[in-house]
Structure formats: structure tokens, C-alpha cells
Amino acid sequence: MSKKLQQNGIFESSRMMLPEHREAYIIHQEQLAPRTRPSLDAQAAEEMSRLLSNSMLLGDAVTITLFHEHDDIRFTGQVLRLDSPARTLKLLMESGTRDIQMNLITDVVLANE
């Protein structure tokens, strides 16, 4: 008899992975692995600080990108208060207010850009 028909040979010889399944598996594994927080240079940090201050003083709407282990989170709104000692800010959004830790911010842009 053929080896394929003995014991577990039928299933052993039929193992195959479709390209779609392989891609989905790779994406799934990437999502499971935590990312590292990007480091910001001084010029980028200064630009973000300027945009946050202008949002608070002039009422400009900004989009803030926060670091998360699996995917970035974006909030759009106006900065109400900057608390430097606590390193937090209060953002006024359409759905209400939200306190944001400044050390999690990775990017700030004007909302209309």
C-alpha cells in the first residue's frame, strides 16, 4: 500500500497553505507583537508644542496621534488646558472632553490639513 493511505498519511500529504491565509497569518502575528514608541527629535517636539499652544490660545482644531502598542489612536479637537507639571492636556472634542497624557503623543497636525 502507498504511504499516503497508511496511518496519518492522508492528512500529512495534504498540508497546504494558500497565499491569502499566509498573508492573514503574517498580519495577525504583526498585530500580536507590541510596537516600540518612536523617539521624537527636539525640532518635532517643539513644533508639536507650538501647535498645542496655538490650539489653546487661538482655538485652532488639531489632530493628535497617540502611541498604542498595536495601532495609533487619533483624536481631533481643541486644546482647553495644558498642565505642564502633570504632563497632561484636556482636549475638547465633539463627543466631550478627554484628558491625554503628553508622553503618549507622537504627532500633532492642524485638523484642516
Side-chain angles (χ1 to χ4, degrees):
M1 249 195 194
S2 170
K3 184 180 176 193
K4 289 184 180 180
L5 300 178
Q6 295 174 357
Q7 297 171 347
N8 200 17
I10 294 173
F11 297 106
E12 291 293 327
S13 64
S14 65
R15 286 188 184 172
M16 166 175 90
M17 185 176 277
L18 295 173
E20 299 87 31
H21 296 160
R22 182 177 180 276
E23 291 171 11
Y25 177 75
I26 290 171
I27 291 172
H28 176 71
Q29 290 297 79
E30 288 174 355
Q31 290 175 348
L32 291 179
R35 298 182 311 152
T36 58
R37 186 178 326 186
S39 60
L40 300 174
D41 62 342
Q43 186 176 4
E46 184 178 324
E47 177 68 16
M48 289 189 318
S49 176
R50 184 186 64 79
L51 287 171
L52 292 172
S53 296
N54 284 348
S55 175
M56 186 175 71
L57 297 174
L58 304 175
D60 297 337
V62 292
T63 299
I64 298 174
T65 305
L66 299 178
F67 173 79
H68 189 268
E69 288 181 346
H70 300 293
D71 197 17
D72 290 335
I73 304 169
R74 289 181 178 79
F75 296 110
T76 300
Q78 176 189 354
V79 178
L80 292 179
R81 183 177 66 225
L82 289 169
D83 190 2
S84 296
R87 304 278 302 148
T88 61
L89 63 89
K90 186 173 282 274
L91 188 69
L92 175 65
M93 303 179 299
E94 291 179 4
S95 60
T97 61
R98 183 173 192 93
D99 290 329
I100 297 175
Q101 294 179 359
M102 293 170 115
N103 62 343
L104 296 178
I105 298 175
T106 58
D107 190 28
V108 178
V109 295
L110 289 175
N112 55 7
E113 287 183 358

